[in-house]
């Protein structure tokens, strides 16, 4: 593996974002016909649903020789070296994705074993391949 492999998110995130925006438009249309405070609440919920799915739809996972990099909009890249990963497994009920428990790097470059962190990757195309690579590269 000499170059970077990019794993794109599943298309279902884009579809769910589209459905969320459609629901926002339907509630907005209802709001113009009959103003109600509850409708504003549901517009907010549908908009939040659409934005979360849109965020997942444009996220990517890059696999390098030393680890992975999760890229999400409006936040910096999150690089995680293979040696930092404690566990890696597929989780979720309907839309399965990969969840990681990893140890951040301390200022001196060593692993900070006192503060494990979690990272949820978006469900990606070729997820079985990514999971197999990650599980093979984890240092026990």
């Amino acid at each position: 593996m000499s170059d970077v492999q990019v794993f794109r998110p599943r298309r279902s995130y884009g579809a769910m974002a589209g459905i969320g925006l459609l629901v926002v438009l339907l509630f907005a249309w209802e709001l113009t016909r009959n103003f109600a405070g509850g409708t504003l609440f549901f517009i907010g919920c549908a908009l939040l649903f659409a934005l979360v799915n849109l965020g997942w739809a444009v996220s990517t996972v890059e696999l390098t020789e030393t680890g992975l990099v999760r890229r999400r909009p409006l936040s910096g890249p999150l690089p995680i070296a293979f040696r930092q990963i404690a566990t890696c497994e597929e989780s979720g009920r309907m839309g399965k994705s990969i969840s990681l428990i990893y140890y951040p790097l301390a200022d001196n470059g060593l692993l900070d074993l006192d503060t494990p962190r979690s990272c949820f990757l978006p469900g990606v195309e070729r997820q079985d391949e990514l999971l197999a690579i990650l599980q093979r590269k984890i240092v026990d």
Side-chain angles (χ1 to χ4, degrees):
M1 191 168 70
S2 61
D3 57 330
V4 175
Q5 286 183 299
V6 178
F7 291 86
R8 305 262 179 233
R10 286 189 215 119
R11 294 182 192 151
S12 61
Y13 292 118
M16 297 301 274
I19 290 170
L21 290 175
L22 179 64
V23 170
V24 167
L25 291 174
L26 289 172
F27 275 121
W29 177 67
E30 176 64 26
L31 195 62
T32 61
R33 296 181 59 230
N34 183 15
F35 184 80
T39 306
L40 284 175
F41 172 75
F42 287 112
I43 285 177
C45 291
L47 187 60
L48 180 64
F49 176 82
L51 289 175
V52 166
N53 279 289
L54 185 62
W56 285 110
V58 296
S59 298
T60 59
V61 177
E62 296 175 2
L63 197 61
T64 64
E65 289 186 26
T66 59
L68 64 91
V69 179
R70 184 194 69 188
R71 297 190 185 275
R72 294 181 68 185
L74 304 177
S75 67
L78 176 64
I80 301 173
F82 292 126
R83 69 183 186 100
Q84 292 178 259
I85 300 173
T87 63
C88 170
E89 59 187 31
E90 200 170 39
S91 60
R93 292 185 183 180
M94 292 178 63
K96 297 209 180 256
S97 63
I98 297 174
S99 61
L100 307 170
I101 305 282
Y102 70 98
Y103 297 106
L105 293 176
D107 293 334
N108 59 5
L110 298 176
L111 297 180
D112 183 5
L113 300 176
D114 294 331
T115 56
R117 295 188 181 158
S118 61
C119 174
F120 296 97
L121 303 177
V124 294
E125 296 173 356
R126 303 180 359 244
Q127 183 162 300
D128 293 337
E129 177 185 344
L130 176 61
L131 183 62
I133 292 170
L134 289 175
Q135 288 177 339
R136 191 173 60 241
K137 296 276 188 170
I138 290 178
V139 177
D140 290 316

